[in-house]
Amino acid sequence: MTAIRPLAPDDHDVWLPLWQGYLTFYDSELSDEQTELTWHRLIDPQFPLHGALATDDSGTAVGLVHWLTHAATWSATPYCYLEDLFVAPDTRGTGAGRALIAHVTGWAREHGAAKVYWLTHETNTTARTLYDRVATATGFVHYEIGLGS
């Protein structure tokens, strides 16, 4: 059975391998400084970024999720953006991803958000199988302009 719990300040060493696995999955690299900044933002109650871990029956962390809310032009209440979601490859299919999404959805509902949304790469077929079960594909295509920061 998967359990979900908020990140705590002493979780750095269990969070870090999952974070690195997430970056590797997306063939991305961040500096150690950015990773540490992200960690400190996640555990700072004054910063509007939130995080949780999924743990297995033995208490081992097997997944992570990070999210934030923001104001919206189409809603009087905020939207919740699920920014990062990762489950260790050897525990995929155990319900951890579904539980992490449900955790964020419950949190967003409790905090008055109008919706939860996220992005994934079109080739992430394993995750998309789950996403198609728990959410509605909107058909929107994502574009971005990097600003060199």
Side-chain angles (χ1 to χ4, degrees), residues 49-68:
L49 192 58
H50 310 280
L53 292 173
T55 58
D56 64 14
D57 290 338
S58 68
T60 301
V62 297
L64 63 75
V65 66
H66 306 143
W67 70 95
L68 56 101

Side-chain angles (χ1 to χ4, degrees), residues 24-127:
T24 298
F25 179 81
Y26 278 111
D27 197 25
S28 297
E29 291 183 28
L30 291 176
S31 68
D32 291 344
E33 293 80 14
Q34 181 59 53
T35 289
E36 289 308 303
L37 177 61
T38 297
W39 170 252
H40 289 290
R41 286 175 171 174
L42 286 164
I43 61 168
D44 180 350
Q46 301 304 311
F47 202 84
L49 192 58
H50 310 280
L53 292 173
T55 58
D56 64 14
D57 290 338
S58 68
T60 301
V62 297
L64 63 75
V65 66
H66 306 143
W67 70 95
L68 56 101
T69 59
H70 62 85
T73 58
W74 288 24
S75 173
T77 57
Y79 291 167
C80 179
Y81 177 52
L82 191 160
E83 187 166 16
D84 307 311
L85 176 67
F86 179 75
V87 174
D90 59 335
T91 58
R92 292 186 184 143
T94 64
R98 181 184 296 267
L100 288 163
I101 293 169
H103 177 79
V104 173
T105 302
W107 183 95
R109 192 173 283 118
E110 289 173 18
H111 289 83
K115 69 178 178 181
V116 176
Y117 72 101
W118 62 92
L119 305 169
T120 195
H121 196 274
E122 66 185 349
T123 61
N124 191 359
T125 55
T126 300

Side-chain angles (χ1 to χ4, degrees), residues 7-12 39 43:
L7 281 174
D10 61 348
D11 285 331
H12 181 271
W39 170 252
I43 61 168

